Amino acid sequence: MEEEPSNLPVSLWGRVSAFETRAREAYKRKPISHWILLVLSSAAMLIAFPASSLLSRVYYANGGTSKWIISWVAVAGWPLTALILFPTYLVCKTSPTPLTLKLTFSYIVLGLLSAADNLMYAYAYAYLPASTASLLASSSLVFSALFGYLLVKNKLNAAIVNAVVVITAAMTIIALDSDSDRYGNVTDKQYIWGFVWDILGSALHGLIFALSELVFVKLVGRRSFHVVLEQQVMVSLFAFVFTTIGVIVSNDFQGMKYEARSFEGGKSSYYLVLIWSTISFQLGVLGSVAVLFLSSTVLAGVLNAIRVPLTSIAAVILLKDPMSGLKILSLVVTFWGFGCYIYGSSSPSKDSS
């Protein structure tokens, strides 16, 4: 009778001790430079991605109107990633991955999908508060799990399924709270479309993630730092080409001059917002690539979970976004969903199944 209540604490303490032992061993196996780079990469994810989201909202709040321009700045910084890629060939003493016809076609398709994805998110940030848009964008985890299961045959366990249900519930809570955070200059129809575009963009983002993994499995056959960077550069390049065509067709390059003149804060503020949007997004991309290579998808999931509340809190403090009780509840539920997904992804049963 006295031993039964102690089983749970002992088991929990055993797990904590085992985790501490694995963490200590992992730390000793890697040089200090590895951990410094991992910390810097994690910081890039946690700072750059939220900054990029907030800057997109700043653009629209201060007079910007073009959806194509915001889509364009998200990929216009692809040369920054290329500048990181080329030295890795010398450092790693390796050569570029041969571009076969299938691999090139895959990059073109992923580039087209990425361009469409960025455009959908641009519409979302045009009509939704940054805190709401970031919460809705977290649903990409749901679609990543589903498309990963369907296309790449990734395993689904009870914890991951629970995460899908929980995050879906969080999105429903936001939908019920639509009247509390709608801007006065945004109509009901625009708000609804912003909500729809955000969910569609998240679904497409999940599909892109699964297709990218499929490219590694089927066409590349290996995954290293320079190979991941190669894919990012090529996909961003083609996305840049497709988005540039869209900007030209819509005459938004010519419209930038008018936007800059009417932008609150003047021309310098207008161009600084766009330049820093470009830089911050690419720094976030580089950080996420480095985290995936230096650590694991689990840590990347943890950081993605953390940056959702960071973006929401920063939007409330810096942009005065409304934060109702239901939105706070949605934030907590989303964080719980991320925790379930991380636990399910790191579960030993996943590897064994």
Side-chain angles (χ1 to χ4, degrees):
M1 291 294 292
E2 295 181 356
E3 293 181 356
E4 287 184 3
S6 63
N7 286 340
L8 181 59
V10 169
S11 176
L12 180 61
W13 177 251
R15 291 185 180 185
V16 171
S17 299
F19 176 79
E20 183 181 355
T21 301
R22 288 198 301 269
R24 191 181 297 112
E25 291 175 352
Y27 176 78
K28 292 178 180 178
R29 284 198 300 266
K30 301 290 184 179
I32 188 65
S33 58
H34 170 92
W35 299 109
I36 292 174
L37 185 57
L38 182 59
V39 169
L40 292 176
S41 303
S42 301
M45 281 189 69
L46 293 178
I47 296 173
F49 276 139
S52 177
S53 299
L54 295 182
L55 286 168
S56 295
R57 186 56 230 167
V58 167
Y59 167 80
Y60 290 116
N62 289 275
T65 58
S66 173
K67 315 305 184 295
W68 280 108
I69 291 297
I70 287 298
S71 304
W72 185 75
V73 299
V75 289
W78 70 268
L80 295 176
T81 309
L83 289 175
I84 303 296
L85 170 63
F86 294 135
T88 61
Y89 293 131
L90 299 176
V91 175
C92 300
K93 297 180 180 180
T94 186
S95 56
T97 303
L99 277 176
T100 63
L101 185 61
K102 286 185 177 180
L103 187 57
T104 304
F105 179 74
S106 299
Y107 288 155
I108 292 174
V109 172
L110 287 172
L112 178 61
L113 294 177
S114 296
D117 189 43
N118 291 332
L119 186 60
M120 291 177 184
Y121 279 134
Y123 272 95
Y125 277 94
Y127 301 137
L128 300 176
S131 55
T132 302
S134 65
L135 280 170
L136 290 174
S138 66
S139 63
S140 63
L141 187 66
V142 172
F143 297 106
S144 295
L146 295 177
F147 284 123
Y149 174 75
L150 294 173
L151 299 178
V152 197
K153 308 304 179 185
N154 290 337
K155 301 297 182 182
L156 286 180
N157 54 31
I160 293 178
V161 173
N162 183 54
V164 170
V165 174
V166 168
I167 294 176
T168 302
M171 301 307 102
T172 305
I173 293 173
I174 296 179
L176 295 174
D177 192 39
S178 59
D179 290 335
S180 69
D181 65 351
R182 182 169 57 84
Y183 291 125
N185 62 336
V186 175
T187 66
D188 290 339
K189 184 177 180 180
Q190 287 175 328
Y191 185 92
I192 292 171
W193 273 114
F195 198 99
V196 170
W197 284 123
D198 209 339
I199 296 296
L200 289 177
S202 299
L204 188 54
H205 189 78
L207 176 61
I208 291 170
F209 192 85
L211 290 176
S212 299
E213 189 173 353
L214 196 63
V215 168
F216 282 120
V217 173
K218 298 292 185 180
L219 299 180
V220 180
R222 62 195 174 112
R223 187 179 305 197
S224 62
F225 185 62
H226 84 275
V227 170
V228 176
L229 273 181
E230 283 175 343
Q231 186 189 73
Q232 186 60 48
V233 169
M234 294 303 296
V235 171
S236 295
L237 171 60
F238 286 117
F240 174 76
V241 171
F242 288 123
T243 307
T244 302
I245 293 172
V247 176
I248 294 173
V249 171
S250 62
N251 293 320
D252 280 2
F253 278 135
Q254 291 85 342
M256 288 178 70
K257 295 180 181 179
Y258 171 76
E259 281 192 344
R261 286 196 300 267
S262 60
F263 196 77
E264 188 175 335
K267 289 184 180 180
S268 59
S269 297
Y270 177 79
Y271 290 113
L272 281 174
V273 166
L274 296 184
I275 290 170
W276 280 110
S277 293
T278 301
I279 294 173
S280 60
F281 189 85
Q282 288 303 313
L283 286 177
V285 168
L286 287 171
S288 61
V289 170
V291 167
L292 286 170
F293 175 71
L294 294 170
S295 184
S296 65
T297 54
V298 175
L299 179 59
V302 171
L303 295 175
N304 271 321
I306 294 173
R307 75 182 176 96
V308 170
L310 281 181
T311 305
S312 298
I313 293 170
V316 171
I317 296 174
L318 300 176
L319 304 182
K320 309 302 180 184
D321 269 14
M323 180 62 77
S324 66
L326 283 176
K327 189 184 286 187
I328 294 174
L329 176 61
S330 176
L331 181 62
V332 173
V333 172
T334 300
F335 207 71
W336 174 26
F338 270 113
C340 294
Y341 183 85
I342 293 164
Y343 178 81
S345 299
S346 59
S347 174
S349 60
K350 182 186 178 207
D351 297 330
S352 62
S353 55

